[in-house]
Amino acid sequence: MTETTEFDAVVVGAGPAGAAAAFELARAGRSVALVERGPFPGSKNMYGGVVYGRILDTLIPRWWEEMPVQRWVTRRQTMLMTGHQALTIDYRTDTWGRPPYNGATAYRPDFDSWLADKAVQQGATLLCSTTVTGLLVEGGRTVGVRTDRPDGDLRAGVVIAADGVNSFLAKEAGLYGEVSADNYTVGVKETIALPREVIDERFAVRGDHGVDIEIIGCTGEVPGGGFLYTNADTVAVGLVLSLPALAAGGSRPEELLAALKAHPAVAPLVEGGEVKEYSAHVIPEAGYDMMPELVGDGLLVAGDAAAMCLAAGVWLEGVNFAIGSGAAAGRAAHAALRSGDTTAAGLAGYRTRLESSFVLADHRKLREAPHLVMGDLAQRQLPGLACDVAEAVFQVTNPDPKPGLVRIARKQIARHGLKLPTVARETIRALRAYG
C-alpha cells in the first residue's frame, strides 16, 4: 500500500497521549498519521506506576475486558520511611477488583501497543521506526513535520506534539519558556521476577489483585520518593530522584535503589527475585507551574510533552492525564479542521476542553503539592517524626504510665528540631495545597 504524505493531522509520539489523539481524530473521520520513533508503540517507555483507566470509558466501552492488564490494584499503601523504620497507611477494597475497576498495573509495551492499535482500527496510519526531525513551518504556521523517512515530509493541517518529556517540537515552536532543571526528576526502576504464588503470599493478594506502594523518606540526601508495585509474576521497585541533586553528586541512583531494596520493610518483599530489567527516564515533576503554551498556529501539545504528569504525593498519575489531554487535542483539532481555522485562535478550544476536564482542573488545584512533597519538611523531617511518634505510641513503657498522645507529639516535634507553630503552619499549607 502506498502511504500518503498529506494528512488532516500528524500526531508525533504513539504513547497514550498520541494514541488517544489519533483515536479521536480517526473516529471523527479525519486522516491522521501516528508517528512513532520506536519499532512499535511503547518500545522505548519505562513506567513505574498504575494505569487509571476511567478516562478510557469515553473512548473504548468496557475497555477492561480487553486491555492488557497485569493486576488490578485493590490495595494502596503510603509508606513513610527512615533508615530503620517504616510507617504505612494501608487501604484495600475488593470493589477495585471488579468492573468498572479503579487502576491496574500494566507493561507499557503491551498497553501502548494496544491503545495505538485501537487508533489504527479507527483508521489512523501508524508509522513506526520514524523519527520526526523538525517542524514544517510556512508563514509562521506549522504545516507538518520533517522525518527521517525516505519519502521525507508529512504535511498536515494540524500537528499534535505528544513526543514526551522535553518535547523538542514544543521547544522548536517557542512554546516553552526558560526550562529549569529543578522541575525535573529521574525515575529509575528494576523489574524483578518472582513466582506468582510468592507475590500473592508476600503481598497478601490473590488471583489478579495487586498492590501499589508509594514511599517517602527512602532517598537519603536526594529529594524524591519510591514505589513498589506488583505485576502478575514480577514486582517493580524504583525511585524518583531530584535531577539537580543527582547532578550535584554524592549519590548514584543505583546505590539509592540498592539501599531501598535492602530496607527491612522492602527486603522481604523482593528477596530471592531475579532482576529482569533496569531502566531510567526523565519525569516532568512540577506539573502546572512548568507547562508550556499548549497551542500554537497549527500545533497542539499533549501528555508529558506538556508536563501533564501529576506528582502530588498522595496522587502519582500520568497515563490518565496523557490520555485525557490527547483525546482533548484530537477533538479540538477535528473542530478546528471542520471550521477551516487551524491558527492558534482556531485551536484555542483545546485549552477550553482541558480547563473543563480533570486534566487542568486537577493540575491547577494541586499546583503547590509537588513543591511541598519535594520540600525539606516532607523529605527530611516528616518521615522520621511520624515514625518516632508511632514508635512512642506503641512502645509499652511499664512500669511508667503511658505518656499520652499530646505529650508524645510535643516531645517528638521538639526532638526533631521543629516548633509546634511551624508544624501547624505547614499542616495548614498542605491542607490548602490539597484543597
Side-chain angles (χ1 to χ4, degrees):
M1 182 181 70
T2 301
E3 295 174 347
T4 179
T5 56
E6 292 195 13
F7 297 87
D8 291 329
V10 170
V11 181
V12 182
F23 180 95
E24 288 288 31
L25 280 159
R27 182 164 66 169
R30 296 293 174 183
S31 62
V32 53
L34 178 58
V35 184
E36 168 57 41
R37 66 187 177 97
F40 58 88
S43 61
K44 294 184 177 295
N45 286 331
M46 169 266 187
Y47 181 56
V50 177
V51 175
Y52 295 98
R54 192 82 298 111
I55 184 60
L56 288 170
D57 292 345
T58 60
L59 277 70
I60 306 166
R62 303 186 69 81
W63 51 267
W64 54 82
E65 294 179 350
E66 51 182 297
M67 188 180 107
V69 169
Q70 287 292 304
R71 289 180 185 256
W72 300 107
V73 175
T74 58
R75 189 177 178 191
R76 280 289 307 270
Q77 296 182 354
T78 298
M79 182 182 294
L80 299 177
M81 180 182 287
T82 71
H84 64 287
Q85 301 164 296
L87 174 64
T88 303
I89 299 172
D90 187 352
Y91 174 76
R92 68 188 304 161
T93 173
D94 285 343
T95 301
W96 289 352
R98 57 179 181 266
Y101 300 102
N102 181 59
T105 58
Y107 291 142
R108 280 293 297 274
D110 296 341
F111 177 80
D112 287 14
S113 292
W114 171 77
L115 191 57
D117 187 57
K118 289 297 178 184
V120 171
Q121 290 173 22
Q122 293 293 327
T125 299
L126 177 62
L127 304 176
C128 292
S129 300
T130 301
T131 300
V132 171
T133 58
L135 296 171
L136 286 176
V137 180
E138 295 177 359
R141 176 181 170 276
T142 298
V143 296
V145 298
R146 292 187 173 89
T147 79
D148 63 352
R149 294 176 65 84
D151 46 358
D153 301 343
L154 300 174
R155 298 183 65 86
V158 180
V159 172
I160 298 176
D163 51 333
V165 62
N166 276 329
S167 168
F168 80 95
L169 292 181
K171 290 178 180 177
E172 181 181 336
L175 299 182
Y176 264 102
E178 184 177 351
V179 177
S180 171
D182 291 340
N183 291 335
Y184 295 91
T185 56
V186 175
V188 295
K189 181 191 75 172
E190 286 184 0
T191 302
I192 301 171
L194 285 168
R196 186 181 190 115
E197 60 273 15
V198 172
I199 294 174
D200 288 351
E201 291 303 317
R202 290 183 181 180
F203 291 88
V205 290
R206 297 292 183 271
D208 57 1
H209 290 193
V211 182
D212 175 27
I213 306 172
E214 310 294 344
I215 308 168
I216 295 177
C218 59
T219 55
E221 296 301 312
V222 178
F227 58 85
L228 194 158
Y229 66 94
T230 58
N231 298 307
D233 56 5
T234 65
V235 296
V237 57
L239 297 170
V240 177
L241 303 165
S242 165
L243 191 58
L246 283 177
S251 298
R252 293 187 59 82
E254 60 271 24
E255 295 170 347
L256 295 172
L257 185 53
L260 174 60
K261 290 168 58 182
H263 191 279
V266 175
L269 301 177
V270 300
E271 184 179 34
E274 179 184 358
V275 176
K276 292 293 187 180
E277 176 190 60
Y278 177 88
S279 52
H281 186 65
V282 176
I283 301 169
E285 184 78 15
Y288 193 87
D289 287 340
M290 67 176 293
M291 288 182 185
E293 294 294 326
L294 301 177
V295 180
D297 288 333
L299 181 66
L300 300 174
V301 189
D304 273 4
M308 291 177 183
C309 180
L310 187 69
V314 176
W315 297 289
L316 300 172
E317 303 171 20
V319 172
N320 51 333
F321 284 88
I323 295 171
S325 62
R331 293 167 191 154
H334 168 61
L337 289 163
R338 184 174 55 195
S339 71
D341 181 5
T342 56
T343 65
L347 290 165
Y350 175 48
R351 178 93 193 192
T352 302
R353 292 170 188 271
L354 293 179
E355 296 277 4
S356 63
S357 78
F358 74 98
V359 177
L360 284 187
D362 286 351
H363 270 289
R364 185 185 299 104
K365 180 187 297 183
L366 297 166
R367 66 186 301 176
E368 294 298 325
H371 307 295
L372 282 173
V373 172
M374 296 296 280
D376 187 68
L377 182 65
Q379 290 289 318
R380 302 179 187 277
Q381 296 172 305
L382 178 60
L385 174 61
C387 286
D388 285 345
V389 167
E391 183 170 313
V393 168
F394 296 125
Q395 180 75 40
V396 176
T397 59
N398 305 153
D400 294 332
K402 297 186 183 302
L405 293 177
V406 173
R407 183 180 174 188
I408 287 173
R410 287 182 178 274
K411 179 179 179 180
Q412 294 302 329
I413 287 171
R415 180 170 172 266
H416 282 264
L418 296 170
K419 295 182 179 179
L420 193 57
T422 300
V423 174
R425 183 179 66 250
E426 291 301 312
T427 299
I428 293 172
R429 183 184 173 202
L431 290 173
R432 288 175 177 169
Y434 284 91

